[in-house]
Amino acid sequence: MIVYYVVIYNFAVLLKKKDLKRVMILKSKIQSIKLNWVLVMCLMMVCISTTSWAITAPEHPTIYSAALDDPSFPSDTVDAQLSALSAEAWIMIDAETGTLLSSKNPDKRMYPASLTKMMTCILACESGRLSEIVTISATAAATEYGNVRKGEKYVLRDLLYRAMLPSDNGAAQAIGEFLAAPDSVPFADLMNQKAKELGMKNTHFVNAHGLPNDNHYTTASDMMTLQQYCMNNKDFAEIVSNSSRDITTTTGKVIHLKSTNRLFGRYDGCIGVKTGTTRAAGGCLASAVERDGVRIYLVLLKCTPARQRTDESIMLYEKGFEMMKTFAAKKKKQKEVPNVRRPKTNMNNHRDVPNPPKKR
């Protein structure tokens, strides 16, 4: 466009000077520029119209209650309060029944960040090797956002605390190397095999810790499938239920660990599970809360800023427990209603009216 205006300006100057030959040359250039801009604008319009077919509108956050048979929460209604949340995707369920309570973009492919470590941890818990010793390799010690040192030795169970509570990437890398060594296969292959067994159809892992990679992705729905499975394992559930923990290396060095899950201490009933944060993934949180015998699971992905994941999880839990409380009250009321025997009716639907005597 700048070139266009410069040419116009020169055209005006030459016209004023009555240099007709040069005016005619500039006139042809202007026409050429106009034609080029018309072509450019047409191409842009075609690109925009074509792209619009590929872009799908984001799914609105919804509260589901049809499965709860609760008329006070209309099925699939958009919740205005939840629409204000920054999280790009989430899914919340009743842990006992698997009933869906709320969701937004549950099947959208996202980066899982350190939620990846749930898979690393469950594979370790199921390995039968929790009491064995793990030696930290140079690769594990050099892993970004890790705090383990080359040559340190840990009991595998203690190393799991280090990977899951403060989310040490080096610890997760060491665990993956340790578990993969006997079979001489990449640890990611073991992770993907397990994901396939669990029916996680939109998930693919390439590492044990969750650092960004274009081929390392999941969905909120798949992470919920993983969380449900993991929380049924006693060792896994015990590890992630700790807000802090002291562990020791084999040389007796004591290390104090603190969970990055800020629901601990802020929201009563929190029993885990795992945080995740990278620039690409935003703030992620897979969590579990239990109150008065009701347990709810929540997976939240890509909050911006990352620290919002705690407040937004609390807001969702408030909605979830409100629904479950209403449902429980309704069920209780139904049980208290006595089974009143209905009066008999005759063929004419008149209650307690005897049939007329037959004519002789």
Side-chain angles (χ1 to χ4, degrees):
M1 288 298 289
I2 293 174
V3 174
Y4 179 77
Y5 287 120
V6 169
V7 173
I8 291 293
Y9 174 77
N10 289 331
F11 179 80
V13 170
L14 291 172
L15 192 62
K16 189 175 183 181
K17 292 181 178 180
K18 298 182 179 180
D19 190 342
L20 296 179
K21 185 177 180 180
R22 296 180 66 184
V23 164
M24 293 304 294
I25 294 171
L26 277 173
K27 184 177 179 181
S28 64
K29 287 184 178 180
I30 290 172
Q31 290 174 342
S32 176
I33 290 171
K34 284 182 176 179
L35 180 62
N36 289 336
W37 272 105
V38 169
L39 290 172
V40 169
M41 293 301 293
C42 288
L43 287 171
M44 288 178 64
M45 292 299 292
V46 170
C47 290
I48 291 171
S49 62
T50 307
T51 306
S52 64
W53 287 100
I55 299 174
T56 55
E59 183 176 323
H60 292 292
T62 53
I63 289 182
Y64 297 87
S65 60
L68 297 177
D69 192 25
D70 181 4
S72 64
F73 290 89
S75 177
D76 296 3
T77 54
V78 176
D79 187 276
Q81 194 174 16
L82 299 187
S83 296
L85 301 184
S86 72
E88 195 165 318
W90 72 70
I91 184 168
M92 179 171 62
I93 68 168
D94 169 33
E96 182 180 358
T97 63
T99 299
L100 180 63
L101 302 178
S102 179
S103 71
K104 176 185 176 182
N105 297 324
D107 298 316
K108 181 178 180 178
R109 282 190 177 181
M110 313 276 287
Y111 292 115
S114 286
L115 300 195
T116 300
K117 295 185 178 81
M118 290 196 293
M119 179 61 83
T120 302
C121 185
I122 191 62
L123 289 175
C125 289
E126 293 180 342
S127 70
R129 306 172 65 190
L130 291 179
S131 61
E132 294 185 25
I133 304 299
V134 181
T135 302
I136 304 301
S137 69
T139 302
T143 303
E144 192 176 5
Y145 303 114
N147 290 303
V148 292
R149 296 183 179 182
K150 180 183 176 181
E152 285 182 330
K153 296 179 184 295
Y154 295 85
V155 174
L156 178 56
R157 183 186 291 273
D158 287 338
L159 199 56
L160 286 173
Y161 281 104
R162 184 150 198 170
M164 298 300 284
L165 271 59
S167 203
D168 191 308
N169 287 342
Q173 176 66 27
I175 293 166
E177 293 172 356
F178 176 75
L179 295 176
D183 298 322
S184 299
V185 296
F187 183 63
D189 288 356
L190 301 178
M191 300 172 77
N192 290 321
Q193 181 181 341
K194 189 67 176 181
K196 185 177 181 180
E197 291 174 5
L198 296 178
M200 299 167 65
K201 297 180 180 179
N202 294 303
T203 296
H204 188 265
F205 298 112
V206 298
N207 59 54
H209 37 66
L211 287 174
N213 186 294
D214 288 343
N215 291 318
H216 192 96
Y217 55 81
T218 190
T219 65
S221 182
D222 277 1
M223 280 290 108
M224 178 58 74
T225 297
L226 178 61
Q227 179 175 328
Q228 287 178 279
Y229 179 80
C230 290
M231 290 298 285
N232 286 326
N233 182 285
K234 292 182 180 180
D235 292 311
F236 181 98
E238 195 283 324
I239 290 168
V240 300
S241 67
N242 288 265
S243 60
S244 63
R245 178 86 174 191
D246 288 336
I247 64 171
T248 60
T249 64
T250 57
T251 59
K253 178 183 176 182
V254 179
I255 301 170
H256 180 70
L257 306 173
K258 187 175 181 180
S259 175
T260 52
N261 185 356
R262 298 293 177 255
L263 282 178
F264 286 119
R266 279 199 58 189
Y267 201 66
D268 291 340
C270 177
I271 55 174
V273 179
K274 187 72 194 76
T275 61
T277 310
T278 65
R279 182 172 295 181
C284 305
L285 180 58
S287 56
V289 173
E290 187 168 357
R291 290 182 175 181
D292 302 322
V294 175
R295 179 182 291 193
I296 294 178
Y297 290 155
L298 171 64
V299 171
L300 196 72
L301 299 179
K302 202 170 186 179
C303 288
T304 49
R307 64 178 179 273
Q308 285 292 109
R309 65 190 173 197
T310 304
D311 292 335
E312 295 186 12
S313 292
I314 289 173
M315 185 177 293
L316 282 161
Y317 275 120
E318 289 296 299
K319 294 282 185 182
F321 280 110
E322 181 184 357
M323 290 178 67
M324 297 304 294
K325 184 177 180 180
T326 303
F327 176 62
K330 182 177 180 180
K331 295 291 285 185
K332 183 179 179 181
K333 186 176 180 180
Q334 288 176 340
K335 290 180 179 179
E336 291 175 351
V337 175
N339 186 16
V340 180
R341 189 176 180 182
R342 293 183 179 182
K344 293 181 179 180
T345 59
N346 62 10
M347 294 297 293
N348 296 318
N349 292 323
H350 297 295
R351 294 184 176 182
D352 298 326
V353 178
N355 291 323
K358 294 181 180 181
K359 296 182 178 180
R360 295 183 179 179

